[in-house]
Amino acid sequence: MENSNLNIQTILKSARSGAAIYDSSDRGKILVSDRDRLRFLHNQSTADFEKRLAGEGCDTVFVTSTARTIDLVTGLILADEVLLICSPNRREYLFNWLDRYIFFADRVKLKDVTDTLASFTLMGDESMGILAQLGCSITDLPQHSHQVYIIDGVEVRIAIGTELGLPGYRLICDRDKSATLYQSITNLGAAIVDEDAWECLRIAQGRPKPDAELTEDYNPLEVGLWDTISFSKGCYIGQETIARLNTYRGVKQYLWGVKLTGSVAVGETITVDGEKVGVLTSCSNDGELGLGYVRSKAGGVGLKVMVGDVEGEIINIPFVRHEYPV
């Protein structure tokens, strides 16, 4: 176990200050096409899609009519389509949910391309250098900007940024060419991030995931996904509830990181002086970090808590924020 933890720590260091690659091919990938695609997505999610141009992208949240979270999704705007990248366990649900809202007059088509497209996350301060060695000159563009490059004969769409908020890129290519791309990158020294290391990174960064932090028990403002929400665009599913929570400062709990002194079970109660203030939603394999929701009135960073019978402290997580918009 000690060697395993040591290996994870080495990989985590590479993912931040070096270069590391994670195979994210299991992420759902849905192509939305036809004339009304941007208007449709604009009306179904929290982001402003109608202002987006080809080569741009954004994170958005799909929510229920009562603003409960379905999934946090990245949308890449292509010339005639939008590629949605969603969580693995929301692929079928999101496809069917979107399909249900396509009405007779809508010019919108959906296609699940998960099985034909592979994706990788290349992260770390040295990730740009690796791509440069492969002939890709990545310019300084906004987050989620993307374009197509050729790497060792493979056509690769490279988007700026990672789903963890770490410096790096998302790489998308045909699945039958993915082994060549993967080998080209690992040959240049990128560390391989396995599922255990990815989960540690996810928790440390505070990236929420479905069935843990993203459930119908929580809305996007409680999660801290303010940057995915447009408060100036027109109506969309769940908009009324989100606008009311923002206007009346009605967020009653927030997602925080929890620094732990030992391993605890997910779902354990978070208490302060014996009073329940929240619940733990994720815990890393090494038992050092967790994620959990804590009542806003209880406090934030620095708050000493008990998670079950284990001591903990509330810490900041980079991926989310909890400030109301000015």
Side-chain angles (χ1 to χ4, degrees):
M1 181 61 71
E2 290 180 357
N3 290 337
S4 175
N5 288 338
L6 179 61
N7 184 49
I8 286 178
Q9 292 305 316
T10 301
I11 293 172
L12 298 185
K13 182 177 180 180
S14 296
R16 295 187 173 99
S17 59
I21 187 169
Y22 171 71
D23 186 346
S24 58
S25 297
D26 65 343
R27 301 318 188 243
K29 301 172 188 70
I30 300 170
L31 275 178
V32 185
S33 61
D34 218 332
R35 182 189 64 195
D36 297 329
R37 62 192 181 279
L38 292 179
R39 178 188 60 79
F40 174 73
L41 292 172
H42 188 89
N43 293 339
Q44 307 306 322
S45 71
T46 60
D48 189 338
F49 273 92
E50 289 192 320
K51 292 181 179 178
R52 303 289 175 181
L53 302 174
E56 297 179 347
C58 62
D59 281 339
T60 192
V61 183
F62 289 91
V63 296
T64 68
S65 59
T66 56
R68 298 303 179 176
T69 308
I70 295 172
D71 198 10
L72 171 60
V73 175
T74 298
L76 300 181
I77 315 302
L78 312 182
D80 300 306
E81 299 165 314
V82 178
L83 177 63
L84 300 179
I85 305 173
C86 65
S87 302
N89 60 348
R90 287 295 184 268
R91 166 188 173 184
E92 183 177 357
Y93 183 98
L94 183 61
F95 186 96
N96 292 333
W97 189 84
L98 290 170
D99 188 59
R100 189 170 74 235
Y101 285 99
I102 299 176
F103 300 113
F104 180 76
D106 292 331
R107 295 283 298 275
V108 177
K109 295 186 180 71
L110 303 175
K111 183 179 181 182
D112 189 329
V113 293
T114 307
D115 294 335
T116 62
L117 292 179
S119 58
F120 301 101
T121 302
L122 178 63
M123 64 199 110
D125 293 339
E126 296 178 9
S127 55
M128 179 184 288
I130 283 186
L131 291 179
Q133 292 181 68
L134 294 170
C136 303
S137 178
I138 308 294
T139 54
D140 187 16
L141 292 172
Q143 192 86 342
H144 304 303
S145 298
H146 55 94
Q147 63 186 83
V148 174
Y149 297 84
I150 304 297
I151 298 177
D152 289 344
V154 179
E155 188 175 279
V156 185
R157 184 172 298 278
I158 300 178
I160 295 175
T162 70
E163 56 265 58
L164 296 180
L166 292 168
Y169 307 90
R170 290 191 186 196
L171 286 66
I172 302 165
C173 68
D174 287 342
R175 193 173 283 263
D176 60 1
K177 303 287 183 61
S178 62
T180 299
L181 175 63
Y182 191 73
Q183 192 66 54
S184 297
I185 292 172
T186 55
N187 283 346
L188 291 175
I192 296 174
V193 177
D194 61 15
E195 291 300 327
D196 285 344
W198 177 264
E199 183 66 0
C200 287
L201 274 169
R202 182 191 74 80
I203 292 171
Q205 290 296 112
R207 166 83 186 203
K209 74 175 183 179
D211 298 330
E213 293 74 39
L214 302 180
T215 75
E216 293 199 3
D217 294 326
Y218 309 109
N219 64 62
L221 303 189
E222 293 170 331
V223 185
L225 301 176
W226 294 86
D227 294 334
T228 69
I229 300 169
S230 171
F231 290 97
S232 60
K233 74 171 190 172
C235 293
Y236 59 91
I237 294 175
Q239 183 263 348
E240 183 178 349
T241 299
I242 290 175
R244 187 166 58 248
L245 286 169
N246 177 48
T247 299
Y248 296 105
R249 301 298 195 261
V251 181
K252 301 185 184 304
Q253 57 189 343
Y254 289 117
L255 179 67
W256 292 106
V258 187
K259 186 177 181 181
L260 299 163
T261 57
S263 229
V264 293
V266 170
E268 193 68 75
T269 298
I270 300 175
T271 60
V272 175
D273 296 330
E275 179 184 356
K276 180 180 179 179
V277 297
V279 61
L280 192 77
T281 55
S282 292
C283 184
S284 62
N285 292 336
D286 58 14
E288 293 182 359
L289 291 174
L291 295 174
Y293 285 93
V294 175
R295 287 209 308 260
S296 53
K297 290 184 178 180
V301 173
L303 179 69
K304 304 296 184 181
V305 298
M306 294 295 296
V307 185
D309 57 1
V310 171
E311 294 180 352
E313 179 182 344
I314 302 303
I315 60 173
N316 195 31
I317 41 178
F319 191 84
V320 304
R321 68 181 181 87
H322 298 312
E323 301 83 15
Y324 286 91
V326 177

